[in-house]
């Protein structure tokens, strides 16, 4: 686990390539892209994890995370051919940044394997 770099990016304390922003979400380019398009959908309000989101019963905002991914997929031109959404949760899920986020990947045919 690394520190919450996403809160720092939201506060403007760290730079990022911002693709989209509204009152609820920031979408940035992943610093270590695993596909031609690799974006991170990050809630402005801090949630540690999916567990945290669900404990707080903020399901409307959780739904908006997927709607934001869908919207941005059109904005960046990957919607027609398709994309993959990934959510890493916890240690075994390989989550590194302790601030809820979902990955949006596309721009090429992605491999069939989810697990290396
Ligand atoms: P996860 O394993 O789901 O926590 O993924 C965290 C992602 O954040 C990784 O894909 C990192 O490459 C990405 N990342 C870490 N620091 C930054 C940063 N400063 N700007 C953009 N992406 C970052």
């Amino acid at each position: 686990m690394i520190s919450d770099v996403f809160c720092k990016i939201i506060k403007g304390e760290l730079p990022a390539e911002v693709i989209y922003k509204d009152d609820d979400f920031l979408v940035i380019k992943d610093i270590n892209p695993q596909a031609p398009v690799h974006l991170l959908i990050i809630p402005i309000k801090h949630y540690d994890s999916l567990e945290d989101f669900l404990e707080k019963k903020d399901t409307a905002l959780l739904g908006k995370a997927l709607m934001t991914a869908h919207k941005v997929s059109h904005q960046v031109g990957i919607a027609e051919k398709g994309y993959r959404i990934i959510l890493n949760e916890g240690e075994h899920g390989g989550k590194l940044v302790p601030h809820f986020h979902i990955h949006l990947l596309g721009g090429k045919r992605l491999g069939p394997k989810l697990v290396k």
Side-chain angles (χ1 to χ4, degrees), residues 2 5-6 9 14-16 28-34 38 40 86-89 93-99 101 103:
I2 60 174
V5 287
F6 298 158
I9 289 171
L14 272 181
I28 63 170
K29 285 192 182 177
D30 196 293
I31 205 168
N32 183 22
Q34 303 299 309
H38 185 172
L40 301 169
I86 294 176
L87 196 170
N88 296 319
E89 181 81 352
K95 184 181 167 126
L96 293 173
V97 179
H99 184 127
H101 55 280
H103 298 251

Side-chain angles (χ1 to χ4, degrees), residues 37-70:
V37 176
H38 185 172
L39 305 177
L40 301 169
I41 289 86
I42 305 167
I44 307 276
K45 187 174 166 191
H46 178 91
Y47 296 89
D48 294 334
S49 59
L50 179 62
E51 183 80 13
D52 188 21
F53 237 121
L54 294 173
E55 275 173 6
K56 290 174 179 151
K57 300 193 179 1
D58 284 341
T59 48
L61 197 63
L62 190 55
K64 195 179 171 193
L66 289 177
M67 287 166 60
T68 303
H70 174 259

